[in-house]
Amino acid sequence: MDSRPTLSSKETKTGDIVGSWLFEAQDASREFQKSSSSGTSPTNFKKRTAGNHIASICKQSMASSDSDDDLKRAIQLSLQSTEPRVKSSGLQIHPDIINLDIDHETTTDESHIEVTDQIEARPQPDAASIAASTGMLGLDRKAMEQERLARKRKASISPPPSRKVARRIESTAKVSSNRSNADMVLFDKQNDTHALPSHIHSPAFPYPKGTVKKTWLFGYPRQGDDIKLEEVLQKNDLALAVLSSFQWDVEWLLRKISTKTTKLVLVMQADTAEAKAQYRQETASMPNLRLCFPSMEGQINCMHSKLMLLSYPSHLRIVVPTANLVPYDWGETGVMENMAFLIDLPRLSAPQPTSQQKMTDFGNDLIHFLQAMGLEKSIIDSLYHFDFSATRDLAFVHTIGGAHAGDDEPWRRTGYCGLGRAISRLGLASNEEQALAIDYVTSSVGSLNTEFLRTLYLAAQGDDGTKEYQSRNATLSKKAKDYSTQVKRRADTQARLHKQINEGFRIYFPSQETVEASKGGPGSGGTICFQRKWWDSSTFPRQLMRDCKSRRGGALMHNKIIYIHPHPNSLSLTTTAVTPWAYIGSANCSESAWGKLVKDRASKLPKLNCRNWECGVVVPLPHAATFSSNNKASMKADEGGKRGEEGLDLFEPVVPVPMEVPGEELAGKRPWFHLDP
């Protein structure tokens, strides 16, 4: 992710369009750090809710030892001065496009402007002027109020309508009022006549079986494997959009949606009651917009999930991107690339909804996640009116923030435990002899160690967390007759896993050299997050790190992708077929993203602690690409048992591979440290 939108306009001229709450965040973080260093309290925070909100974030960041919270990193980087490297897309923001009562896409010619080959820099107001007129969401409340008063004045000077027209207006007003106050739904019975069979593949319904696309990137040729946000949203037919993101540029987003006809639900992070109240106040005049705030209580540190539920007259589109809802993540500045999974699900032809028992595992896990986030029940219930059968061979995996324990073992459904459970249910589990090759592309790296990597490796083999948990918590009795046998078995298992991880696990993250040589330079690497203290730790697996270089030369990545396929050494040891699969989602390579299973002190039962909200999709390769001992593709092993030539190209027809492979080792280079460039 590009760091520049979190900088003040005085510190950057990249032209990224950002919400003013990000500018307030930077100012507040400066005040907080200044007051912290001087030992005084940041009294100015009392004057601004945004300041209070960011102060709490800064405190959490200082207290956390393993957080891949992009914004916190970006805020800290924003305190440094860097030279701008990228010019603006030239798109202008006007206060008269904010009101959701107005279809701003048809009010001005400028609203139709798309990013073209001509990029121009534009001046930006300073943080003080923005903060004075806008709120935490970057919405110009003064302009919105002026619009409301203008509509009121226009209504007061207009002649009264005839009785017949008046009755029609009154009737329409009642219907409109009822719709605005009624529950939002993804399924509308009035549109049921538009139902399509699941085999339909039309321009308006292009992804009935699902697809994975790169995000479009300005300045790079389109190869048929990328997609723009406008192409994702298809605004002309969009009835309702549920959007979840960590970072937001609300004004920019509203320019891409027809706000007269589209209802919006924004799922976002708000740490305090004051922040929630502030957001609600700023959007109170928008009848087509509602907000959802997942829990941030206790240990929860970050609402990091990225998800879109897009409802059209004929179908539901589910999108799981790695990108936030900001222009640089969707390629408009030409410096950062992402990925997105999309699938179009038709409305059911039958009038009755699907039952929970007949819903696919993908659908049930999605619903479980939405319920945990606190999304409106009416929206969740309407999902049962769509045909999820195309998701039967896919998995929706998630991390639900908080602690998960109890008799019903909720810990098995989320985090890395939920990933292992999903792999097992899809029939993708592998045994001990089937060593895996794991290529993890990440935009943030946590405080990694062997124990954490072991949990991910076992989850990729289909373990729901039980094996690793038992190996850490099982007590061997010295009085047992087979005590020595048990000790040896445990040691052998640990040694085997250690060897498989060292030979097969690769983590792709850019070096300082790669970031500096990128199209955007160091200024675009502020939210590609890694800390020097973790790299310098004696337990950090430096030998597994690879320099992440994009195949689109000069671009940086905000991807979170995991490619799983058999290690070449295992192909000669077993004839059992192993199906490669990939994960695409929001989870970076960190414990914060995947959780940690511990023994609860009170109950002595397993408890999964998760600091983040995350979500993603598991996409198996088709059976034609299945590996076995008779089909080794292009994978080879060198003499040391280490991985040699890569077989990742086989993923290309299904999941694009954005980075150069196998990648240069980072052990002999300097990784990119976002706080210490």
Side-chain angles (χ1 to χ4, degrees):
M1 237 174 14
D2 185 354
S3 71
R4 304 317 299 155
T6 61
L7 305 183
S8 76
S9 57
K10 292 182 179 180
E11 292 175 316
T12 179
K13 297 180 181 178
T14 63
D16 296 338
I17 306 166
V18 299
S20 67
W21 68 279
L22 289 177
F23 292 107
E24 288 197 348
Q26 178 208 340
D27 293 341
S29 65
R30 281 199 181 100
E31 293 169 8
F32 178 80
Q33 291 193 358
K34 181 185 293 184
S35 61
S36 297
S37 62
S38 63
T40 59
S41 61
T43 56
N44 287 340
F45 290 172
K46 297 179 181 179
K47 300 179 182 179
R48 294 187 301 178
T49 304
N52 290 328
H53 178 57
I54 293 301
S56 64
I57 289 182
C58 292
K59 292 177 182 177
Q60 291 172 7
S61 180
M62 294 176 182
S64 173
S65 62
D66 178 21
S67 171
D68 58 350
D69 182 330
D70 294 341
L71 178 58
K72 290 180 236 182
R73 305 291 184 265
I75 290 171
Q76 290 171 297
L77 181 72
S78 71
L79 303 181
Q80 305 176 33
S81 176
T82 58
E83 292 297 322
R85 300 293 186 94
V86 185
K87 295 183 179 180
S88 163
S89 64
L91 296 180
Q92 300 292 328
I93 291 299
H94 295 284
D96 61 353
I97 67 167
I98 300 173
N99 195 324
L100 288 178
D101 290 331
I102 301 175
D103 185 358
H104 50 73
E105 297 290 354
T106 60
T107 55
T108 67
D109 293 336
E110 189 165 341
S111 64
H112 292 283
I113 294 176
E114 293 184 1
V115 178
T116 63
D117 290 339
Q118 181 65 34
I119 298 185
E120 299 177 357
R122 75 181 189 283
Q124 295 184 4
D126 59 27
S129 63
I130 294 177
S133 61
T134 62
M136 297 169 70
L137 290 178
L139 303 177
D140 194 328
R141 291 170 290 178
K142 181 179 179 181
M144 292 165 61
E145 178 63 14
Q146 290 174 345
E147 287 179 357
R148 186 188 69 80
L149 294 175
R151 291 194 299 271
K152 185 177 181 180
R153 286 194 300 270
K154 182 178 179 181
S156 65
I157 62 177
S158 300
S162 65
R163 288 186 179 182
K164 184 176 181 180
V165 174
R167 284 195 297 270
R168 185 165 67 247
I169 292 175
E170 182 181 2
S171 175
T172 304
K174 287 181 179 180
V175 173
S176 177
S177 176
N178 289 337
R179 286 184 63 84
S180 63
N181 292 326
D183 291 332
M184 291 187 175
V185 293
L186 296 165
F187 168 82
D188 189 340
K189 291 182 179 180
Q190 295 178 359
N191 294 323
D192 194 30
T193 56
H194 297 277
L196 293 176
S198 59
H199 66 274
I200 289 294
H201 190 147
S202 68
F205 194 70
Y207 311 119
K209 295 183 179 180
T211 189
V212 180
K213 298 276 191 180
K214 296 179 182 178
T215 53
W216 166 78
L217 194 59
F218 170 78
Y220 293 81
R222 304 196 72 174
Q223 307 283 345
D225 61 351
D226 67 354
I227 194 166
K228 293 184 177 183
L229 182 59
E230 291 85 349
E231 296 164 349
V232 171
L233 295 174
Q234 293 185 320
K235 69 170 188 177
N236 291 338
D237 298 318
L238 182 59
L240 171 64
V242 178
L243 307 175
S244 171
S245 181
F246 174 61
Q247 282 187 304
W248 298 83
D249 186 333
V250 177
E251 290 192 48
W252 168 82
L253 174 64
L254 295 184
R255 292 175 65 88
K256 300 182 182 295
I257 295 175
S258 181
T259 56
K260 272 187 177 180
T261 57
T262 302
K263 298 190 177 191
L264 290 172
V265 179
L266 306 185
V267 184
M268 58 176 55
Q269 176 172 333
D271 294 344
T272 65
E274 290 79 5
K276 294 177 184 178
Q278 178 79 7
Y279 290 150
R280 291 192 177 105
Q281 179 184 358
E282 293 179 9
T283 57
S285 63
M286 304 179 183
N288 276 3
L289 186 146
R290 295 187 185 180
L291 303 176
C292 173
F293 303 113
S295 171
M296 295 297 296
E297 297 179 356
Q299 65 186 286
I300 306 175
N301 191 55
C302 180
M303 211 301 293
H304 196 252
S305 69
K306 296 123 177 65
L307 176 66
M308 302 182 189
L309 304 178
L310 309 175
S311 178
Y312 304 91
S314 60
H315 64 283
L316 170 71
R317 173 169 292 177
I318 299 174
V319 185
V320 181
T322 66
N324 286 300
L325 285 170
V326 288
Y328 53 89
D329 267 7
W330 287 93
E332 294 191 6
T333 62
V335 299
M336 191 70 64
E337 64 177 315
N338 276 275
M339 301 269 274
F341 165 86
L342 306 90
I343 190 168
D344 294 331
L345 306 178
R347 293 177 182 273
L348 289 171
S349 56
Q352 296 300 321
T354 300
S355 65
Q356 182 179 0
Q357 292 71 26
K358 293 184 178 180
M359 177 61 79
T360 63
D361 290 334
F362 181 104
N364 281 326
D365 285 326
L366 170 63
I367 289 170
H368 178 69
F369 182 66
L370 298 176
Q371 289 172 336
M373 295 180 82
L375 193 64
E376 294 182 32
K377 184 177 185 298
S378 58
I379 297 177
I380 296 174
D381 289 344
S382 64
L383 289 170
Y384 291 101
H385 289 273
F386 295 92
D387 184 359
F388 274 76
S389 59
T391 68
R392 199 166 301 281
D393 294 326
L394 304 170
F396 183 86
V397 295
H398 51 69
T399 299
I400 296 173
H404 306 278
D407 295 336
D408 57 346
E409 298 184 330
W411 53 270
R412 294 184 189 272
R413 298 195 66 172
T414 196
Y416 70 84
C417 301
L419 174 63
R421 173 174 172 262
I423 297 306
S424 179
R425 290 190 309 189
L426 288 174
L428 303 174
S430 55
N431 57 44
E432 295 180 355
E433 293 181 346
Q434 296 169 319
L436 299 178
I438 300 179
D439 293 85
Y440 201 139
V441 184
T442 181
S443 62
S444 178
V445 179
S447 180
L448 306 182
N449 54 42
T450 301
E451 181 180 301
F452 170 72
L453 294 178
R454 189 163 56 235
T455 64
L456 282 186
Y457 187 90
L458 290 172
Q461 287 187 320
D463 175 51
D464 64 0
T466 304
K467 286 183 180 179
E468 199 280 331
Y469 174 82
Q470 290 179 344
S471 69
R472 280 189 288 116
N473 292 280
T475 302
L476 301 179
S477 174
K478 294 183 178 181
K479 296 181 179 180
K481 294 182 179 179
D482 60 344
Y483 173 74
S484 58
T485 302
Q486 293 183 45
V487 171
K488 185 178 185 304
R489 185 183 301 120
R490 174 184 287 188
D492 290 345
T493 299
Q494 298 292 347
R496 173 181 52 78
L497 281 173
H498 184 74
K499 182 175 184 294
Q500 290 178 345
I501 290 171
N502 276 336
E503 293 180 354
F505 209 126
R506 284 179 176 165
I507 303 167
Y508 291 80
F509 186 84
S511 66
Q512 178 175 336
E513 178 184 355
T514 295
V515 175
E516 289 179 344
S518 70
K519 187 176 179 181
S524 58
T527 51
I528 302 175
C529 308
F530 189 28
Q531 294 192 39
R532 179 190 292 273
K533 64 179 180 181
W534 296 336
W535 174 259
D536 291 339
S537 171
S538 60
T539 59
F540 190 89
R542 288 185 288 274
Q543 73 279 8
L544 305 185
M545 301 289 288
R546 296 294 183 272
D547 194 353
C548 187
K549 295 183 179 180
S550 174
R551 289 181 172 178
R552 294 196 274 195
L556 295 176
M557 295 186 198
H558 186 250
N559 291 320
K560 304 103 170 64
I561 320 165
I562 311 175
Y563 301 92
I564 308 292
H565 46 112
H567 190 282
N569 287 349
S570 71
L571 297 176
S572 60
L573 301 177
T574 177
T575 59
T576 305
V578 175
T579 301
W581 55 271
Y583 165 91
I584 304 98
S586 66
N588 283 303
C589 190
S590 72
E591 186 180 290
S592 296
W594 291 104
K596 182 174 183 178
L597 192 62
V598 300
K599 180 183 287 188
D600 183 68
R601 294 181 180 179
S603 67
K604 306 302 181 184
L605 296 175
K607 178 177 70 174
L608 183 67
N609 290 323
C610 301
R611 295 184 214 149
N612 289 6
W613 290 87
E614 311 278 2
C615 69
V617 175
V618 170
V619 180
L621 262 63
H623 293 294
T626 299
F627 280 82
S628 70
S629 60
N630 298 320
N631 179 25
K632 299 183 181 181
S634 61
M635 295 185 66
K636 301 176 183 178
D638 60 23
E639 293 182 356
K642 297 180 181 180
R643 289 170 49 184
E645 294 293 328
E646 297 307 301
L648 288 182
D649 284 346
L650 71 96
F651 282 89
E652 281 290 349
V654 181
V655 181
V657 178
M659 73 289 189
E660 296 180 359
V661 291
E664 299 177 49
E665 293 188 10
L666 265 184
K669 295 186 172 186
R670 184 184 189 272
W672 169 252
F673 301 122
H674 68 293
L675 298 180
D676 185 21

